[in-house]
């Protein structure tokens, strides 16, 4: 018994006293009331006449009591007292346990029991959760029953499983269950009770549950991969209306002989005192939304010039759209990237990579091993080596007469006047952009390969990234610092070394390293193409909102609550849009 506190002291102290007393009795001389003779314990002594081994009687004590007899008396007395102490302690433990049991809450244990008689959980999905738990246990017992050749019980369990699954279907709460669901749950509980009586073995059930867990995990992983592939496929496949629109526009462009028609005065296109915007895109409707939303917020439209560059396939359609829908008094100029004669493989590294047979296999061969094994399927999108995407690194070559230009992606919507951006003092920096390094997101180590010495020796791993989509470029500083040369240098290195992830942003991070001026976050809010948790107040304060991500606003996959910010700049009564079945 443990000795603790007052109670521990009394019991243990008593035992200690008994032991001391016993030692004292066995070692001390015992004197008779009628004689001077005493008996003293001698462990090595011979057996005395009285039969007490180990004792010798001293002269003068014929009536002394042998020590062994006295020892037996004390032993019996001590045993009796110990038994009584044990009974008292046990009684106290029982009383304490009963007191603790009064305060024990076994509600959760009862609620998770598959075989409980009454379902007492009052949550909205209590019955639904019960039925799902029953299905899991029924599958376990059905498997065990089949392995033990108890086929009737296995068949019975499978029938109950099918009934419960039919009753649940796609329900998310008890209110969505069929009326007969509770009846099926009770029937399942009865069968599970029978199965438990016949088949329950803790080890076997645990093994079955572990096997089911592993199978479920493998299924989830496979479904995630499939889901990722399908999302990439859906977002990169051109919807039928978007395919129809350029066809209709191209037809009218050649039918009405608009080949030689110019949209803007050439003097305006090269006037550095005006506000110039660059948009590189092959999406006609998206480009129209960027232009329309920008013009709707400016005070003097005639001072704004839009430079649109597209590819050969969409050039006629893009030009026809703005011939039919000129942006108020603003000037717009549409160019074909294939007409830029200075773009060749020696000056444009991406062009050299595009012509590479290995890259063609990687991006366009369906049986390429990376299609199956690649975890980042988004990088299989050929846009990451699109000439239009990488054209942003050649601004002075395209617009040699301009001092500043504002670059806009085609998946943005402008909500405020952007003209104050031209008056910002960028303190000698080339690129004005909004930073994206919130906590660990958007830092250099997310984009660059710091295991390569070329990267680790040149850049800071915790360097703060920034975003393309809204960028004010100082073209004077650009030329002075030879930004295009820096870009070409890193691209040439990237051809033979794995320096960064695919795309234009990693290339931009290394090209504009130390040359980027940080704009206030309210100029450019990102994430509307993947993050459903952006606050409406944040969106309303933003000058530009960016649908970066897979869920573009012109797709059915778009995040619904963000879509109206984009669609309000689309006139769905437009004849071209009606013909191509665009609906709000």
């Amino acid at each position: 018994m443990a000795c603790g506190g007052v109670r521990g002291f009394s019991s243990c102290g008593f035992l200690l006293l008994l032991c001391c007393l016993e030692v004292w009795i066995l070692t001390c001389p015992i004197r008779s009331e009628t004689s001077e003779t005493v008996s003293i314990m001698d462990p090595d002594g011979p057996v005395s006449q009285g039969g007490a081994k180990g004792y010798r009687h001293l002269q003068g004590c014929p009536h002394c009591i042998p020590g062994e007899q006295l020892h037996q008396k004390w032993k019996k007395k001590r045993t009796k007292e110990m038994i009584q102490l044990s009974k008292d302690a046990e009684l106290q433990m029982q009383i304490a346990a009963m007191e603790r049991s009064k305060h024990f809450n076994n509600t959760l244990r009862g609620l998770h029991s598959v075989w409980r008689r009454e379902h007492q959980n009052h949550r909205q999905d209590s019955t639904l959760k019960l039925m799902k738990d029953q299905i899991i246990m029924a599958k376990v017992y059905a498997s065990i029953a089949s392995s033990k050749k108890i086929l009737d019980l296995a068949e019975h369990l499978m029938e109950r499983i099918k009934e419960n699954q039919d009753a649940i279907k796609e329900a998310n709460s008890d209110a969505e269950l069929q009326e007969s669901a509770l009846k099926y749950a009770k029937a399942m509980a009865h069968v599970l009770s029978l199965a438990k009586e016949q088949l329950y073995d803790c080890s076997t059930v645990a093994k079955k549950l572990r096997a089911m867990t592993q199978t479920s995990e493998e299924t989830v992983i496979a479904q995630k991969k499939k889901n990722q592939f399908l999302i990439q496929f859906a977002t990169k496949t051109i919807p039928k209306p978007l395919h129809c629109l350029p066809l209709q526009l191209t037809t009218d462009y050649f039918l009405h002989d608009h080949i030689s028609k110019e949209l803007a005065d050439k003097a305006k296109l090269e006037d550095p005192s005006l506000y110039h915007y660059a948009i590189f895109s092959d999406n006609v409707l998206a480009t129209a939304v960027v232009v329309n939303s920008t013009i709707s917020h400016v005070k003097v439209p005639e001072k704004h010039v839009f430079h649109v560059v597209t590819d050969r396939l969409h050039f006629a359609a893009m030009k026809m759209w703005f011939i039919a829908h000129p942006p108020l008094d603003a000037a717009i100029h549409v160019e074909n990237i294939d007409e830029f004669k200075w773009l060749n493989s020696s000056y444009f590294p991406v062009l050299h990579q595009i012509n590479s047979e290995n890259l063609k296999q990687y991006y366009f061969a369906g049986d390429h091993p990376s299609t199956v094994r690649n975890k980042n399927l988004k990088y299989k999108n050929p846009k990451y080596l699109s000439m239009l995407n990488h054209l942003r690194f050649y601004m002075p070559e395209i617009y040699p007469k301009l001092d500043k230009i504002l670059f806009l992606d085609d998946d943005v919507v402008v909500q405020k006047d952007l003209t104050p951006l031209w008056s910002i003092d960028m303190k000698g920096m080339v690129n004005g952009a909004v930073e994206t390094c919130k906590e660990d997101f958007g830092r250099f180590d997310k984009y660059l390969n710091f295991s390569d010495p070329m990267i680790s020796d040149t850049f800071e791993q915790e360097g703060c990234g920034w975003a393309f989509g809204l960028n004010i470029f100082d073209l004077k500083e650009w030329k002075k610092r030879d930004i295009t040369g820096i870009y070409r240098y890193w691209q040439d290195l990237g051809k033979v070394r794995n320096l960064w992830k695919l795309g234009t942003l990693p290339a931009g991070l290394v090209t504009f390293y130390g040359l980027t001026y940080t704009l206030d976050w309210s100029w450019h809010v990102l994430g509307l193409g993947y993050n459903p948790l952006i606050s409406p107040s944040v969106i309303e304060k933003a000058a530009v909102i960016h649908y970066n991500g897979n869920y573009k606003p012109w797709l059915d996959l778009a995040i619904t609550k963000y879509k109206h910010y984009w669609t309000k700049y689309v006139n769905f009564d437009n004849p071209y849009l009606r013909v191509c079945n665009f609906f709000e």
Side-chain angles (χ1 to χ4, degrees):
M1 181 181 296
C3 299
V6 177
R7 185 179 302 171
F9 174 79
S10 62
S11 59
C12 291
F14 180 73
L15 291 175
L16 184 60
L17 286 172
L18 282 177
C19 293
C20 293
L21 184 59
E22 181 181 348
V23 172
W24 179 79
I25 289 171
L26 293 176
T27 57
C28 292
I30 303 175
R31 185 180 298 275
S32 170
E33 293 178 357
T34 60
S35 176
E36 292 295 328
T37 307
V38 294
S39 297
I40 298 176
M41 182 177 180
D42 185 3
D44 300 323
V47 179
S48 67
Q49 294 177 356
K53 182 178 180 180
Y55 290 87
R56 53 187 173 87
H57 291 279
L58 300 180
Q59 293 181 355
C61 188
H63 304 292
C64 286
I65 300 172
E68 180 68 19
Q69 294 179 18
L70 190 59
H71 173 71
Q72 293 295 331
K73 285 182 179 181
W74 279 107
K75 187 176 180 180
K76 290 178 181 179
K77 183 179 179 181
R78 185 178 64 173
T79 303
K80 184 178 179 180
E81 289 173 346
M82 290 292 291
I83 292 172
Q84 184 60 41
L85 282 172
S86 178
K87 288 182 178 179
D88 291 343
E90 185 178 356
L91 180 61
Q92 290 175 4
M93 289 175 64
Q94 289 177 354
I95 293 171
M98 286 188 288
E99 286 296 323
R100 286 196 303 270
S101 68
K102 291 178 182 179
H103 305 288
F104 179 69
N105 183 5
N106 64 348
T107 307
L108 290 177
R109 185 178 63 181
L111 290 176
H112 285 89
S113 174
V114 175
W115 303 282
R116 55 191 176 272
R117 292 183 180 180
E118 295 181 1
H119 188 49
Q120 299 175 348
N121 193 342
H122 301 295
R123 288 166 39 176
Q124 293 182 355
D125 61 347
S126 57
T127 303
L128 178 64
K129 289 190 68 176
L130 169 64
M131 295 180 73
K132 288 182 177 180
D133 289 345
Q134 288 179 330
I135 290 172
I136 293 171
M137 292 308 302
K139 287 180 178 179
V140 171
Y141 283 126
S143 177
I144 297 173
S146 298
S147 64
K148 293 187 175 183
K149 307 299 182 185
I150 309 176
L151 302 181
D152 290 343
L153 180 58
E155 185 178 348
H156 201 182
L157 285 164
M158 294 306 295
E159 288 175 357
R160 298 287 84 80
I161 290 171
K162 188 175 186 306
E163 287 178 352
N164 275 25
Q165 288 175 336
D166 290 341
I168 293 174
K169 291 186 177 178
E170 297 181 0
N172 293 313
S173 66
D174 291 353
E176 298 176 15
L177 292 171
Q178 294 183 6
E179 294 181 2
S180 56
L182 194 56
K183 180 183 74 174
Y184 291 138
K186 290 179 179 178
M188 175 69 91
H190 176 69
V191 178
L192 285 174
S193 180
L194 295 174
K196 183 186 177 185
E197 291 176 3
Q198 296 184 49
L199 303 171
Y200 183 76
D201 176 73
C202 184
S203 177
T204 305
V205 171
K207 287 179 182 178
K208 290 291 182 183
L209 287 171
R210 278 197 296 269
M212 289 174 65
T213 301
Q214 185 176 357
T215 303
S216 298
E217 288 177 352
E218 290 173 353
T219 302
V220 168
I221 291 170
Q223 289 298 323
K224 281 183 176 179
K225 289 182 178 179
K226 184 178 180 181
N227 181 61
Q228 184 186 21
F229 175 79
L230 290 175
I231 287 176
Q232 292 297 323
F233 181 78
T235 55
K236 309 312 175 191
T237 303
I238 301 175
K240 187 180 291 186
L242 277 181
H243 182 66
C244 165
L245 181 60
L247 292 178
Q248 294 290 329
L249 290 167
T250 302
T251 301
D252 283 359
Y253 178 78
F254 289 106
L255 185 64
H256 298 292
D257 196 20
H258 289 301
I259 298 174
S260 58
K261 186 168 184 178
E262 292 296 333
L263 290 170
D265 180 9
K266 189 175 181 180
K268 274 192 170 185
L269 300 179
E270 298 178 346
D271 186 350
S273 65
L274 302 179
Y275 303 105
H276 294 265
Y277 305 81
I279 307 169
F280 305 150
S281 174
D282 58 3
N283 188 325
V284 175
L285 190 59
T287 304
V289 168
V290 175
V291 173
N292 291 344
S293 61
T294 304
I295 287 298
S296 64
H297 294 95
V298 301
K299 297 176 181 177
V300 188
E302 57 269 19
K303 289 188 176 183
H304 294 261
V305 182
F306 294 89
H307 303 264
V308 178
V309 181
T310 188
D311 57 22
R312 179 173 53 188
L313 186 63
H314 296 88
F315 172 73
M318 190 77 74
K319 192 172 179 181
M320 183 63 208
W321 176 271
F322 289 108
I323 289 172
H325 313 92
L328 296 178
D329 296 325
I332 190 160
H333 181 55
V334 179
E335 294 182 274
N336 179 0
I337 191 173
D338 293 306
E339 294 179 359
F340 294 162
K341 302 303 180 184
W342 49 268
L343 275 182
N344 52 63
S345 58
S346 62
Y347 192 65
F348 199 69
V350 171
L351 190 60
H352 179 75
Q353 294 176 44
I354 289 173
N355 293 328
S356 165
E357 286 299 322
N358 290 335
L359 233 58
K360 288 179 181 178
Q361 286 290 319
Y362 176 82
Y363 282 108
F364 302 110
D367 58 348
H368 194 274
S370 62
T371 305
V372 180
R373 295 197 303 265
N374 196 349
K375 294 180 180 179
N376 296 314
L377 286 175
K378 70 176 185 177
Y379 296 122
K380 291 285 290 183
N381 186 352
K383 81 166 190 175
Y384 287 101
L385 281 180
S386 163
M387 290 175 65
L388 282 176
N389 264 354
H390 285 261
L391 195 62
R392 66 192 69 184
F393 296 104
Y394 293 85
M395 289 292 185
E397 281 78 5
I398 308 171
Y399 311 111
K401 301 289 182 69
L402 303 182
D403 295 336
K404 280 189 176 181
I405 193 164
L406 183 64
F407 172 76
L408 296 173
D409 268 338
D410 63 358
D411 54 354
V412 305
V413 172
V414 178
Q415 300 187 126
K416 295 181 180 179
D417 186 5
L418 301 181
T419 53
L421 285 170
W422 274 264
S423 60
I424 291 177
D425 179 10
M426 293 172 58
K427 304 184 185 304
M429 299 298 174
V430 180
N431 170 34
V434 170
E435 289 186 339
T436 58
C437 51
K438 296 178 181 178
E439 297 179 357
D440 291 334
F441 174 77
R443 297 192 180 274
F444 273 46
D445 60 344
K446 298 297 180 184
Y447 302 100
L448 307 184
N449 178 16
F450 277 89
S451 64
D452 191 295
M454 284 293 298
I455 295 296
S456 58
D457 293 344
T458 309
F459 306 100
E460 293 182 11
Q461 195 163 347
E462 294 298 315
C464 191
W466 45 267
F468 274 125
L470 175 138
N471 305 83
I472 183 73
F473 291 126
D474 186 332
L475 299 185
K476 284 185 176 180
E477 288 293 330
W478 185 306
K479 295 172 189 175
K480 187 187 301 183
R481 297 177 181 270
D482 190 21
I483 296 300
T484 302
I486 296 173
Y487 163 76
R488 292 177 58 226
Y489 167 77
W490 284 107
Q491 279 291 340
D492 286 336
L493 284 177
K495 287 190 295 184
V496 293
R497 305 169 72 153
N498 183 24
L499 298 180
W500 54 70
K501 292 180 179 179
L502 293 174
T504 54
L505 181 55
L509 294 178
V510 300
T511 300
F512 294 102
Y513 183 66
L515 298 172
T516 299
Y517 177 83
T518 303
L519 299 176
D520 185 79
W521 69 267
S522 61
W523 281 109
H524 185 193
V525 169
L526 299 102
L528 278 74
Y530 68 88
N531 183 8
L533 303 178
I534 302 174
S535 168
S537 61
V538 171
I539 295 174
E540 294 298 333
K541 291 177 182 177
V544 170
I545 54 175
H546 195 169
Y547 293 83
N548 58 309
N550 285 324
Y551 306 121
K552 301 300 184 186
W554 52 83
L555 299 175
D556 292 334
L557 294 173
I559 300 173
T560 306
K561 64 179 181 179
Y562 301 149
K563 199 167 184 177
H564 71 278
Y565 295 109
W566 188 82
T567 55
K568 67 181 180 181
Y569 295 104
V570 179
N571 179 15
F572 289 94
D573 291 328
N574 184 282
Y576 287 110
L577 301 187
R578 286 205 310 269
V579 168
C580 292
N581 296 318
F582 277 93
F583 301 104
E584 190 169 1

